[in-house]
Amino acid sequence: AQSVTQLGSHVSVSEGALVLLRCNYSSSVPPYLFWYVQYPNQGLQLLLKYTSAATLVKGINGFEAEFKKSETSFHLTKPSAHMSDAAEYFCAVSNSGYSTLTFGKGTMLLVSP
Amino acid sequence: DAGITQSPRHKVTETGTPVTLRCHQTENHRYMYWYRQDPGHGLRLIHYSYGVKDTDKGEVSDGYSVSRSKTEDFLLTLESATSSQTSVYFCAISDGSKGQPQHFGDGTRLSIL
């Protein structure tokens, strides 16, 4: 069975600071990995995805994530936080034939001025 | 944005009443999914469909049923709603290709009193 662990239900940063959101996965086969963002009262929006083409994946809004097989990690980073980045972020893994996703419990990113 | 419409967007009902949520897509995608989102649990898969009349259970399927009579519509039914089913429900779609992400609707907020 596959699973996802997101360390930290809340992460607080100052505007302009580095953003680091952690995601570790378990999977018996090479995984596909995704980061989604959810703004209040909205659905989930895809930030980026890893599908084995490259270990460093760039996404929208300046976010990127690095796939590290040895650490079973797929942490999300952004060099400089903006107020508009405040949202909840979800990491997800897929490796089944029906493209079902298993989500982590989410990390709320708080950005202070 | 992917053409996904969920209806209703908000609903308040009483324990024991039947409830049906609708997901409509205009992308002609083969796969459709229903999730529920609860604080501290992330998103959990209820049921999914991999074609017309082809459905399967997810992680939290007890108390829910689904139907898909045509490609564009996926219905989620709570036969006899309980307070534990108060949640935000999201529909998602995918073309099913490996590594392709799911795209989400805006959600239905369901309150059962």
Side-chain angles (χ1 to χ4, degrees), chain A residues 9 32-34 36 38 40-46 48-51 88 90 94-106, chain B residues 9 30-31 33 35 37 40-45 48 50 56 88 90 94-107 109:
Chain A
S9 59
Y32 301 109
L33 294 160
F34 306 86
Y36 286 87
Q38 185 182 33
N41 299 314
Q42 294 186 24
L44 278 69
Q45 179 182 358
L46 180 70
L48 50 80
K49 64 179 183 180
Y50 168 75
T51 56
E88 190 159 22
F90 293 93
S94 171
N95 59 18
S96 75
Y98 293 124
S99 301
T100 57
L101 292 177
T102 300
F103 282 88
K105 296 184 187 301
Chain B
R9 291 295 316 280
R30 180 180 174 190
Y31 293 83
Y33 313 82
Y35 294 89
Q37 183 179 23
H41 291 276
L43 276 82
R44 294 178 290 175
L45 182 65
Y48 63 99
Y50 46 96
D56 205 350
V88 181
F90 286 98
S94 167
D95 68 8
S97 303
K98 285 190 176 182
Q100 289 304 305
Q102 294 178 15
H103 300 282
F104 286 78
D106 288 332
R109 187 172 296 274

Short mmCIF file of all heavy atoms in Angstrom, two decimals, chain A residues 9 32-34 36 38 40-46 48-51 88 90 94-106, chain B residues 9 30-31 33 35 37 40-45 48 50 56 88 90 94-107 109:
data_model
loop_
_atom_site.label_atom_id
_atom_site.label_comp_id
_atom_site.label_asym_id
_atom_site.label_seq_id
_atom_site.Cartn_x
_atom_site.Cartn_y
_atom_site.Cartn_z
N SER A 9 1.62 20.16 10.41
CA SER A 9 0.30 20.53 9.92
C SER A 9 0.24 22.03 9.62
O SER A 9 -0.61 22.47 8.84
CB SER A 9 -0.78 20.17 10.95
OG SER A 9 -0.54 20.84 12.17
N TYR A 32 4.38 8.09 -8.88
CA TYR A 32 4.13 9.40 -9.43
C TYR A 32 3.75 10.29 -8.24
O TYR A 32 2.95 9.88 -7.40
CB TYR A 32 3.00 9.36 -10.45
CG TYR A 32 3.27 8.44 -11.60
CD1 TYR A 32 2.58 7.24 -11.72
CD2 TYR A 32 4.22 8.75 -12.57
CE1 TYR A 32 2.82 6.36 -12.78
CE2 TYR A 32 4.48 7.88 -13.61
CZ TYR A 32 3.77 6.69 -13.72
OH TYR A 32 4.03 5.83 -14.75
N LEU A 33 4.31 11.47 -8.19
CA LEU A 33 4.11 12.34 -7.03
C LEU A 33 3.59 13.70 -7.47
O LEU A 33 3.97 14.21 -8.53
CB LEU A 33 5.42 12.52 -6.26
CG LEU A 33 5.95 11.24 -5.60
CD1 LEU A 33 7.43 11.36 -5.31
CD2 LEU A 33 5.18 10.95 -4.32
N PHE A 34 2.73 14.27 -6.64
CA PHE A 34 2.08 15.52 -6.98
C PHE A 34 2.05 16.43 -5.75
O PHE A 34 1.93 15.96 -4.63
CB PHE A 34 0.63 15.27 -7.43
CG PHE A 34 0.49 14.28 -8.55
CD1 PHE A 34 0.41 12.92 -8.28
CD2 PHE A 34 0.44 14.70 -9.87
CE1 PHE A 34 0.28 12.00 -9.31
CE2 PHE A 34 0.32 13.78 -10.90
CZ PHE A 34 0.24 12.43 -10.63
N TYR A 36 -0.38 19.71 -4.63
CA TYR A 36 -1.55 20.53 -4.91
C TYR A 36 -1.62 21.66 -3.88
O TYR A 36 -1.18 21.50 -2.75
CB TYR A 36 -2.84 19.72 -4.81
CG TYR A 36 -3.10 18.75 -5.95
CD1 TYR A 36 -2.58 17.46 -5.93
CD2 TYR A 36 -3.90 19.13 -7.03
CE1 TYR A 36 -2.84 16.58 -6.97
CE2 TYR A 36 -4.17 18.25 -8.07
CZ TYR A 36 -3.64 16.97 -8.03
OH TYR A 36 -3.91 16.09 -9.06
N GLN A 38 -4.46 24.46 -2.13
CA GLN A 38 -5.88 24.78 -1.93
C GLN A 38 -6.02 26.12 -1.23
O GLN A 38 -5.59 26.26 -0.09
CB GLN A 38 -6.58 23.69 -1.13
CG GLN A 38 -8.08 23.89 -1.00
CD GLN A 38 -8.75 22.83 -0.16
OE1 GLN A 38 -8.18 22.31 0.79
NE2 GLN A 38 -9.98 22.49 -0.51
N PRO A 40 -8.59 29.10 0.33
CA PRO A 40 -9.85 28.99 1.07
C PRO A 40 -11.07 28.90 0.18
O PRO A 40 -11.20 29.66 -0.78
CB PRO A 40 -9.85 30.26 1.92
CG PRO A 40 -8.41 30.58 2.12
CD PRO A 40 -7.73 30.19 0.83
N ASN A 41 -11.94 27.94 0.50
CA ASN A 41 -13.22 27.75 -0.19
C ASN A 41 -13.05 27.45 -1.68
O ASN A 41 -13.94 27.78 -2.48
CB ASN A 41 -14.11 28.98 0.00
CG ASN A 41 -14.42 29.22 1.46
OD1 ASN A 41 -14.77 28.29 2.19
ND2 ASN A 41 -14.25 30.44 1.91
N GLN A 42 -11.93 26.84 -2.02
CA GLN A 42 -11.71 26.47 -3.41
C GLN A 42 -11.32 25.00 -3.51
O GLN A 42 -11.03 24.35 -2.50
CB GLN A 42 -10.63 27.34 -4.05
CG GLN A 42 -11.01 28.81 -4.19
CD GLN A 42 -9.97 29.60 -4.96
OE1 GLN A 42 -9.21 29.05 -5.75
NE2 GLN A 42 -9.95 30.91 -4.73
N GLY A 43 -11.29 24.50 -4.72
CA GLY A 43 -10.81 23.14 -4.96
C GLY A 43 -9.29 23.11 -4.98
O GLY A 43 -8.62 24.10 -4.73
N LEU A 44 -8.75 21.94 -5.27
CA LEU A 44 -7.30 21.77 -5.33
C LEU A 44 -6.78 22.11 -6.71
O LEU A 44 -7.35 21.72 -7.73
CB LEU A 44 -6.92 20.33 -4.98
CG LEU A 44 -6.84 19.99 -3.50
CD1 LEU A 44 -8.21 19.99 -2.85
CD2 LEU A 44 -6.16 18.63 -3.31
N GLN A 45 -5.65 22.82 -6.71
CA GLN A 45 -5.00 23.22 -7.95
C GLN A 45 -3.63 22.56 -8.03
O GLN A 45 -2.87 22.58 -7.06
CB GLN A 45 -4.86 24.74 -7.98
CG GLN A 45 -4.17 25.29 -9.21
CD GLN A 45 -4.01 26.80 -9.16
OE1 GLN A 45 -4.44 27.45 -8.22
NE2 GLN A 45 -3.39 27.36 -10.17
N LEU A 46 -3.32 21.97 -9.17
CA LEU A 46 -2.04 21.30 -9.32
C LEU A 46 -0.90 22.31 -9.34
O LEU A 46 -0.91 23.27 -10.11
CB LEU A 46 -2.02 20.48 -10.61
CG LEU A 46 -0.73 19.71 -10.89
CD1 LEU A 46 -0.58 18.55 -9.91
CD2 LEU A 46 -0.71 19.20 -12.33
N LEU A 48 2.63 21.03 -9.18
CA LEU A 48 3.66 20.36 -9.96
C LEU A 48 3.51 18.85 -9.82
O LEU A 48 2.78 18.37 -8.94
CB LEU A 48 5.07 20.79 -9.54
CG LEU A 48 5.42 20.77 -8.06
CD1 LEU A 48 5.78 19.40 -7.57
CD2 LEU A 48 6.57 21.75 -7.77
N LYS A 49 4.22 18.12 -10.69
CA LYS A 49 4.15 16.67 -10.64
C LYS A 49 5.50 16.06 -11.00
O LYS A 49 6.27 16.63 -11.77
CB LYS A 49 3.09 16.14 -11.61
CG LYS A 49 3.39 16.42 -13.08
CD LYS A 49 2.31 15.85 -13.99
CE LYS A 49 2.68 16.10 -15.46
NZ LYS A 49 1.65 15.54 -16.38
N TYR A 50 5.79 14.91 -10.42
CA TYR A 50 6.97 14.13 -10.73
C TYR A 50 6.53 12.84 -11.41
O TYR A 50 5.72 12.08 -10.87
CB TYR A 50 7.75 13.78 -9.47
CG TYR A 50 8.81 12.73 -9.73
CD1 TYR A 50 9.98 13.06 -10.39
CD2 TYR A 50 8.59 11.40 -9.35
CE1 TYR A 50 10.94 12.08 -10.65
CE2 TYR A 50 9.54 10.43 -9.60
CZ TYR A 50 10.70 10.77 -10.27
OH TYR A 50 11.63 9.81 -10.53
N THR A 51 7.09 12.61 -12.61
CA THR A 51 6.73 11.39 -13.34
C THR A 51 7.97 10.69 -13.88
O THR A 51 7.91 10.03 -14.89
CB THR A 51 5.78 11.71 -14.49
OG1 THR A 51 6.40 12.68 -15.35
CG2 THR A 51 4.46 12.25 -13.99
N GLU A 88 -3.32 25.98 1.90
CA GLU A 88 -3.02 24.63 2.36
C GLU A 88 -2.43 23.84 1.20
O GLU A 88 -2.90 23.94 0.07
CB GLU A 88 -4.26 23.93 2.91
CG GLU A 88 -3.95 22.62 3.61
CD GLU A 88 -5.02 22.16 4.57
OE1 GLU A 88 -6.18 22.59 4.42
OE2 GLU A 88 -4.70 21.34 5.47
N PHE A 90 -1.03 20.10 -0.32
CA PHE A 90 -1.19 18.65 -0.20
C PHE A 90 -0.21 17.94 -1.12
O PHE A 90 -0.10 18.27 -2.30
CB PHE A 90 -2.61 18.22 -0.58
CG PHE A 90 -3.66 18.70 0.37
CD1 PHE A 90 -4.34 19.88 0.15
CD2 PHE A 90 -3.98 17.95 1.50
CE1 PHE A 90 -5.32 20.33 1.03
CE2 PHE A 90 -4.96 18.36 2.38
CZ PHE A 90 -5.63 19.56 2.15
N SER A 94 0.67 8.39 -6.49
CA SER A 94 -0.14 7.50 -7.32
C SER A 94 0.76 6.46 -7.96
O SER A 94 1.82 6.78 -8.46
CB SER A 94 -0.84 8.30 -8.42
OG SER A 94 -1.46 7.43 -9.34
N ASN A 95 0.34 5.23 -7.90
CA ASN A 95 1.04 4.22 -8.67
C ASN A 95 0.11 3.08 -9.09
O ASN A 95 0.56 2.05 -9.54
CB ASN A 95 2.22 3.64 -7.88
CG ASN A 95 1.79 3.01 -6.56
OD1 ASN A 95 0.63 2.69 -6.36
ND2 ASN A 95 2.75 2.85 -5.66
N SER A 96 -1.17 3.31 -8.94
CA SER A 96 -2.10 2.24 -9.28
C SER A 96 -2.54 2.36 -10.73
O SER A 96 -2.43 3.41 -11.34
CB SER A 96 -3.31 2.28 -8.36
OG SER A 96 -4.15 3.34 -8.75
N GLY A 97 -3.08 1.32 -11.24
CA GLY A 97 -3.54 1.31 -12.61
C GLY A 97 -4.72 2.22 -12.87
O GLY A 97 -4.98 2.60 -14.00
N TYR A 98 -5.45 2.57 -11.84
CA TYR A 98 -6.62 3.43 -12.02
C TYR A 98 -6.33 4.87 -11.62
O TYR A 98 -7.23 5.65 -11.39
CB TYR A 98 -7.80 2.89 -11.22
CG TYR A 98 -8.31 1.57 -11.76
CD1 TYR A 98 -8.40 0.46 -10.93
CD2 TYR A 98 -8.67 1.42 -13.09
CE1 TYR A 98 -8.85 -0.76 -11.40
CE2 TYR A 98 -9.11 0.21 -13.58
CZ TYR A 98 -9.21 -0.86 -12.74
OH TYR A 98 -9.66 -2.07 -13.21
N SER A 99 -5.05 5.19 -11.51
CA SER A 99 -4.65 6.56 -11.23
C SER A 99 -5.26 7.11 -9.96
O SER A 99 -5.52 8.30 -9.86
CB SER A 99 -5.00 7.49 -12.40
OG SER A 99 -4.38 7.07 -13.57
N THR A 100 -5.55 6.26 -9.00
CA THR A 100 -6.06 6.78 -7.72
C THR A 100 -4.93 7.44 -6.97
O THR A 100 -3.77 7.05 -7.10
CB THR A 100 -6.68 5.66 -6.87
OG1 THR A 100 -5.70 4.65 -6.66
CG2 THR A 100 -7.89 5.07 -7.56
N LEU A 101 -5.26 8.45 -6.22
CA LEU A 101 -4.29 9.21 -5.43
C LEU A 101 -4.45 8.93 -3.95
O LEU A 101 -5.57 8.81 -3.46
CB LEU A 101 -4.45 10.71 -5.67
CG LEU A 101 -4.10 11.28 -7.04
CD1 LEU A 101 -4.42 12.77 -7.08
CD2 LEU A 101 -2.63 11.03 -7.35
N THR A 102 -3.33 8.88 -3.27
CA THR A 102 -3.33 8.87 -1.81
C THR A 102 -2.73 10.19 -1.36
O THR A 102 -1.61 10.53 -1.77
CB THR A 102 -2.52 7.69 -1.26
OG1 THR A 102 -3.10 6.47 -1.71
CG2 THR A 102 -2.52 7.72 0.26
N PHE A 103 -3.47 10.92 -0.54
CA PHE A 103 -3.06 12.25 -0.12
C PHE A 103 -2.45 12.23 1.28
O PHE A 103 -2.84 11.43 2.14
CB PHE A 103 -4.26 13.19 -0.09
CG PHE A 103 -4.69 13.68 -1.44
CD1 PHE A 103 -5.58 12.95 -2.20
CD2 PHE A 103 -4.20 14.87 -1.94
CE1 PHE A 103 -5.97 13.40 -3.46
CE2 PHE A 103 -4.59 15.33 -3.19
CZ PHE A 103 -5.48 14.59 -3.96
N GLY A 104 -1.54 13.15 1.51
CA GLY A 104 -1.13 13.46 2.86
C GLY A 104 -2.20 14.29 3.53
O GLY A 104 -3.18 14.71 2.90
N LYS A 105 -2.02 14.55 4.83
CA LYS A 105 -3.05 15.27 5.58
C LYS A 105 -3.01 16.78 5.37
O LYS A 105 -3.88 17.49 5.86
CB LYS A 105 -2.91 14.95 7.07
CG LYS A 105 -3.16 13.48 7.38
CD LYS A 105 -3.11 13.20 8.86
CE LYS A 105 -3.17 11.71 9.18
NZ LYS A 105 -4.39 11.09 8.66
N GLY A 106 -2.01 17.25 4.65
CA GLY A 106 -1.96 18.66 4.32
C GLY A 106 -1.10 19.48 5.28
O GLY A 106 -0.97 19.15 6.46
N ARG B 9 -23.53 23.47 -4.47
CA ARG B 9 -22.28 23.91 -3.85
C ARG B 9 -22.39 23.88 -2.33
O ARG B 9 -21.40 23.68 -1.62
CB ARG B 9 -21.94 25.32 -4.30
CG ARG B 9 -21.56 25.42 -5.78
CD ARG B 9 -20.25 24.68 -6.11
NE ARG B 9 -19.20 24.89 -5.15
CZ ARG B 9 -18.42 25.95 -5.11
NH1 ARG B 9 -18.57 26.90 -6.02
NH2 ARG B 9 -17.47 26.08 -4.19
N ARG B 30 -12.22 9.64 -18.88
CA ARG B 30 -12.74 8.32 -18.52
C ARG B 30 -12.90 8.14 -17.01
O ARG B 30 -13.83 7.48 -16.55
CB ARG B 30 -11.79 7.25 -19.06
CG ARG B 30 -12.23 5.83 -18.76
CD ARG B 30 -11.25 4.84 -19.33
NE ARG B 30 -11.59 3.47 -18.93
CZ ARG B 30 -10.80 2.43 -19.12
NH1 ARG B 30 -9.63 2.57 -19.71
NH2 ARG B 30 -11.19 1.23 -18.72
N TYR B 31 -11.97 8.72 -16.22
CA TYR B 31 -11.97 8.48 -14.79
C TYR B 31 -12.58 9.64 -14.02
O TYR B 31 -12.30 10.81 -14.30
CB TYR B 31 -10.53 8.26 -14.29
CG TYR B 31 -9.90 7.00 -14.82
CD1 TYR B 31 -9.30 6.96 -16.08
CD2 TYR B 31 -9.90 5.84 -14.05
CE1 TYR B 31 -8.73 5.80 -16.55
CE2 TYR B 31 -9.32 4.67 -14.52
CZ TYR B 31 -8.74 4.66 -15.78
OH TYR B 31 -8.17 3.50 -16.25
N TYR B 33 -13.75 10.67 -9.77
CA TYR B 33 -13.49 10.31 -8.38
C TYR B 33 -14.32 11.18 -7.44
O TYR B 33 -14.56 12.35 -7.74
CB TYR B 33 -12.01 10.52 -8.02
CG TYR B 33 -11.03 9.98 -9.03
CD1 TYR B 33 -10.70 10.71 -10.17
CD2 TYR B 33 -10.39 8.76 -8.83
CE1 TYR B 33 -9.78 10.22 -11.09
CE2 TYR B 33 -9.46 8.26 -9.74
CZ TYR B 33 -9.17 9.01 -10.88
OH TYR B 33 -8.25 8.52 -11.79
N TYR B 35 -14.10 12.43 -3.40
CA TYR B 35 -13.34 12.51 -2.17
C TYR B 35 -14.15 13.27 -1.13
O TYR B 35 -15.00 14.09 -1.45
CB TYR B 35 -12.03 13.30 -2.37
CG TYR B 35 -11.02 12.67 -3.28
CD1 TYR B 35 -11.03 12.91 -4.64
CD2 TYR B 35 -10.01 11.85 -2.75
CE1 TYR B 35 -10.08 12.33 -5.47
CE2 TYR B 35 -9.05 11.28 -3.58
CZ TYR B 35 -9.09 11.52 -4.93
OH TYR B 35 -8.15 10.96 -5.75
N GLN B 37 -13.22 15.76 2.32
CA GLN B 37 -12.13 16.46 2.99
C GLN B 37 -12.58 16.84 4.39
O GLN B 37 -13.59 17.53 4.55
CB GLN B 37 -11.71 17.71 2.22
CG GLN B 37 -10.53 18.42 2.88
CD GLN B 37 -10.09 19.64 2.11
OE1 GLN B 37 -10.84 20.25 1.36
NE2 GLN B 37 -8.83 20.03 2.30
N GLY B 40 -7.64 17.63 9.40
CA GLY B 40 -6.74 16.64 9.97
C GLY B 40 -6.67 15.32 9.24
O GLY B 40 -5.89 14.44 9.62
N HIS B 41 -7.48 15.18 8.19
CA HIS B 41 -7.50 13.92 7.44
C HIS B 41 -7.10 14.09 5.98
O HIS B 41 -6.96 13.10 5.27
CB HIS B 41 -8.89 13.28 7.50
CG HIS B 41 -9.26 12.76 8.85
ND1 HIS B 41 -8.86 11.52 9.30
CD2 HIS B 41 -9.98 13.32 9.84
CE1 HIS B 41 -9.33 11.33 10.52
NE2 HIS B 41 -10.00 12.41 10.89
N GLY B 42 -6.94 15.31 5.53
CA GLY B 42 -6.65 15.51 4.12
C GLY B 42 -7.84 15.09 3.27
O GLY B 42 -9.00 15.22 3.69
N LEU B 43 -7.57 14.58 2.10
CA LEU B 43 -8.63 14.10 1.22
C LEU B 43 -8.61 12.57 1.23
O LEU B 43 -7.55 11.96 1.11
CB LEU B 43 -8.43 14.59 -0.22
CG LEU B 43 -8.96 15.98 -0.51
CD1 LEU B 43 -7.95 17.03 -0.05
CD2 LEU B 43 -9.28 16.15 -1.98
N ARG B 44 -9.80 12.01 1.34
CA ARG B 44 -9.91 10.55 1.34
C ARG B 44 -10.86 10.12 0.24
O ARG B 44 -11.95 10.68 0.09
CB ARG B 44 -10.38 10.05 2.71
CG ARG B 44 -9.37 10.29 3.82
CD ARG B 44 -9.89 9.82 5.16
NE ARG B 44 -10.98 10.66 5.64
CZ ARG B 44 -11.69 10.42 6.75
NH1 ARG B 44 -11.42 9.36 7.48
NH2 ARG B 44 -12.64 11.25 7.11
N LEU B 45 -10.47 9.09 -0.49
CA LEU B 45 -11.23 8.62 -1.63
C LEU B 45 -12.44 7.82 -1.18
O LEU B 45 -12.32 6.88 -0.37
CB LEU B 45 -10.33 7.76 -2.52
CG LEU B 45 -10.93 7.22 -3.80
CD1 LEU B 45 -11.27 8.36 -4.76
CD2 LEU B 45 -9.96 6.24 -4.46
N TYR B 48 -14.66 5.65 -6.98
CA TYR B 48 -14.20 6.16 -8.24
C TYR B 48 -14.81 5.35 -9.38
O TYR B 48 -15.37 4.28 -9.16
CB TYR B 48 -12.67 6.17 -8.35
CG TYR B 48 -12.02 4.82 -8.29
CD1 TYR B 48 -11.62 4.16 -9.45
CD2 TYR B 48 -11.75 4.22 -7.06
CE1 TYR B 48 -11.00 2.93 -9.38
CE2 TYR B 48 -11.14 2.98 -6.98
CZ TYR B 48 -10.76 2.34 -8.14
OH TYR B 48 -10.15 1.12 -8.07
N TYR B 50 -14.12 4.15 -13.55
CA TYR B 50 -13.17 4.05 -14.66
C TYR B 50 -13.89 3.84 -15.98
O TYR B 50 -13.30 3.37 -16.96
CB TYR B 50 -12.14 2.94 -14.40
CG TYR B 50 -12.71 1.64 -13.92
CD1 TYR B 50 -12.99 0.61 -14.79
CD2 TYR B 50 -12.95 1.44 -12.55
CE1 TYR B 50 -13.50 -0.59 -14.33
CE2 TYR B 50 -13.47 0.24 -12.08
CZ TYR B 50 -13.74 -0.77 -12.98
OH TYR B 50 -14.25 -1.97 -12.53
N ASP B 56 -15.78 1.55 -8.41
CA ASP B 56 -15.14 0.75 -7.38
C ASP B 56 -15.05 1.58 -6.10
O ASP B 56 -15.18 2.80 -6.12
CB ASP B 56 -13.75 0.30 -7.82
CG ASP B 56 -13.31 -0.98 -7.10
OD1 ASP B 56 -13.99 -1.40 -6.13
OD2 ASP B 56 -12.29 -1.54 -7.51
N VAL B 88 -16.75 18.36 3.35
CA VAL B 88 -16.67 18.98 2.04
C VAL B 88 -16.33 17.88 1.05
O VAL B 88 -15.36 17.13 1.25
CB VAL B 88 -15.62 20.09 1.99
CG1 VAL B 88 -15.59 20.73 0.61
CG2 VAL B 88 -15.92 21.16 3.06
N PHE B 90 -15.39 16.62 -2.78
CA PHE B 90 -14.76 17.04 -4.03
C PHE B 90 -14.86 15.95 -5.08
O PHE B 90 -14.64 14.76 -4.78
CB PHE B 90 -13.28 17.38 -3.80
CG PHE B 90 -13.07 18.67 -3.09
CD1 PHE B 90 -12.84 18.71 -1.73
CD2 PHE B 90 -13.10 19.88 -3.79
CE1 PHE B 90 -12.64 19.91 -1.06
CE2 PHE B 90 -12.92 21.08 -3.13
CZ PHE B 90 -12.69 21.10 -1.77
N SER B 94 -9.82 12.52 -14.43
CA SER B 94 -8.50 12.21 -14.98
C SER B 94 -8.69 11.45 -16.28
O SER B 94 -9.66 10.69 -16.42
CB SER B 94 -7.70 11.38 -13.98
OG SER B 94 -6.55 10.81 -14.58
N ASP B 95 -7.74 11.63 -17.21
CA ASP B 95 -7.83 10.82 -18.43
C ASP B 95 -7.29 9.42 -18.21
O ASP B 95 -7.40 8.57 -19.10
CB ASP B 95 -7.13 11.52 -19.60
CG ASP B 95 -5.62 11.59 -19.43
OD1 ASP B 95 -5.07 10.98 -18.49
OD2 ASP B 95 -4.98 12.26 -20.25
N GLY B 96 -6.68 9.19 -17.03
CA GLY B 96 -6.25 7.85 -16.68
C GLY B 96 -4.87 7.46 -17.14
O GLY B 96 -4.36 6.39 -16.78
N SER B 97 -4.21 8.31 -17.90
CA SER B 97 -2.84 8.00 -18.33
C SER B 97 -1.94 8.02 -17.11
O SER B 97 -2.06 8.87 -16.24
CB SER B 97 -2.36 9.04 -19.34
OG SER B 97 -3.22 9.11 -20.43
N LYS B 98 -0.99 7.09 -17.09
CA LYS B 98 -0.12 7.02 -15.92
C LYS B 98 0.65 8.31 -15.77
O LYS B 98 1.22 8.84 -16.73
CB LYS B 98 0.84 5.84 -16.06
CG LYS B 98 0.16 4.51 -15.81
CD LYS B 98 1.16 3.38 -15.73
CE LYS B 98 0.45 2.08 -15.38
NZ LYS B 98 1.39 0.95 -15.24
N GLY B 99 0.65 8.81 -14.55
CA GLY B 99 1.37 10.03 -14.24
C GLY B 99 0.58 11.30 -14.51
O GLY B 99 1.05 12.38 -14.19
N GLN B 100 -0.59 11.17 -15.08
CA GLN B 100 -1.39 12.36 -15.31
C GLN B 100 -2.14 12.75 -14.04
O GLN B 100 -2.66 11.89 -13.33
CB GLN B 100 -2.38 12.15 -16.45
CG GLN B 100 -1.69 12.09 -17.80
CD GLN B 100 -0.85 13.34 -18.05
OE1 GLN B 100 -1.35 14.45 -17.97
NE2 GLN B 100 0.42 13.15 -18.33
N PRO B 101 -2.22 14.04 -13.75
CA PRO B 101 -2.85 14.46 -12.51
C PRO B 101 -4.36 14.40 -12.60
O PRO B 101 -4.94 14.32 -13.68
CB PRO B 101 -2.38 15.91 -12.37
CG PRO B 101 -2.22 16.36 -13.78
CD PRO B 101 -1.69 15.16 -14.53
N GLN B 102 -4.97 14.46 -11.43
CA GLN B 102 -6.40 14.64 -11.35
C GLN B 102 -6.69 16.13 -11.28
O GLN B 102 -5.92 16.91 -10.74
CB GLN B 102 -6.97 13.93 -10.12
CG GLN B 102 -6.81 12.42 -10.20
CD GLN B 102 -7.33 11.72 -8.96
OE1 GLN B 102 -8.04 12.32 -8.15
NE2 GLN B 102 -6.98 10.46 -8.80
N HIS B 103 -7.84 16.52 -11.83
CA HIS B 103 -8.29 17.90 -11.77
C HIS B 103 -9.57 17.94 -10.94
O HIS B 103 -10.45 17.08 -11.11
CB HIS B 103 -8.52 18.44 -13.18
CG HIS B 103 -7.29 18.41 -14.02
ND1 HIS B 103 -6.30 19.37 -13.90
CD2 HIS B 103 -6.86 17.55 -14.97
CE1 HIS B 103 -5.33 19.08 -14.74
NE2 HIS B 103 -5.64 17.99 -15.39
N PHE B 104 -9.65 18.94 -10.09
CA PHE B 104 -10.70 18.98 -9.07
C PHE B 104 -11.76 20.02 -9.34
O PHE B 104 -11.47 21.10 -9.87
CB PHE B 104 -10.08 19.24 -7.70
CG PHE B 104 -9.35 18.06 -7.15
CD1 PHE B 104 -8.08 17.73 -7.59
CD2 PHE B 104 -9.95 17.23 -6.20
CE1 PHE B 104 -7.41 16.61 -7.11
CE2 PHE B 104 -9.29 16.12 -5.70
CZ PHE B 104 -8.03 15.81 -6.16
N GLY B 105 -12.98 19.70 -8.92
CA GLY B 105 -14.04 20.68 -8.87
C GLY B 105 -13.91 21.57 -7.66
O GLY B 105 -12.98 21.42 -6.86
N ASP B 106 -14.86 22.50 -7.51
CA ASP B 106 -14.80 23.49 -6.43
C ASP B 106 -15.39 22.99 -5.11
O ASP B 106 -15.34 23.71 -4.12
CB ASP B 106 -15.50 24.77 -6.86
CG ASP B 106 -14.70 25.51 -7.91
OD1 ASP B 106 -13.45 25.37 -7.93
OD2 ASP B 106 -15.30 26.24 -8.71
N GLY B 107 -15.98 21.80 -5.13
CA GLY B 107 -16.44 21.21 -3.88
C GLY B 107 -17.89 21.50 -3.54
O GLY B 107 -18.49 22.46 -4.03
N ARG B 109 -20.13 21.76 0.03
CA ARG B 109 -20.11 21.76 1.49
C ARG B 109 -21.43 21.21 1.99
O ARG B 109 -22.48 21.83 1.76
CB ARG B 109 -19.87 23.17 2.01
CG ARG B 109 -19.67 23.24 3.52
CD ARG B 109 -19.24 24.65 3.95
NE ARG B 109 -17.94 25.01 3.39
CZ ARG B 109 -16.77 24.72 3.92
NH1 ARG B 109 -16.73 24.04 5.07
NH2 ARG B 109 -15.64 25.11 3.36
#
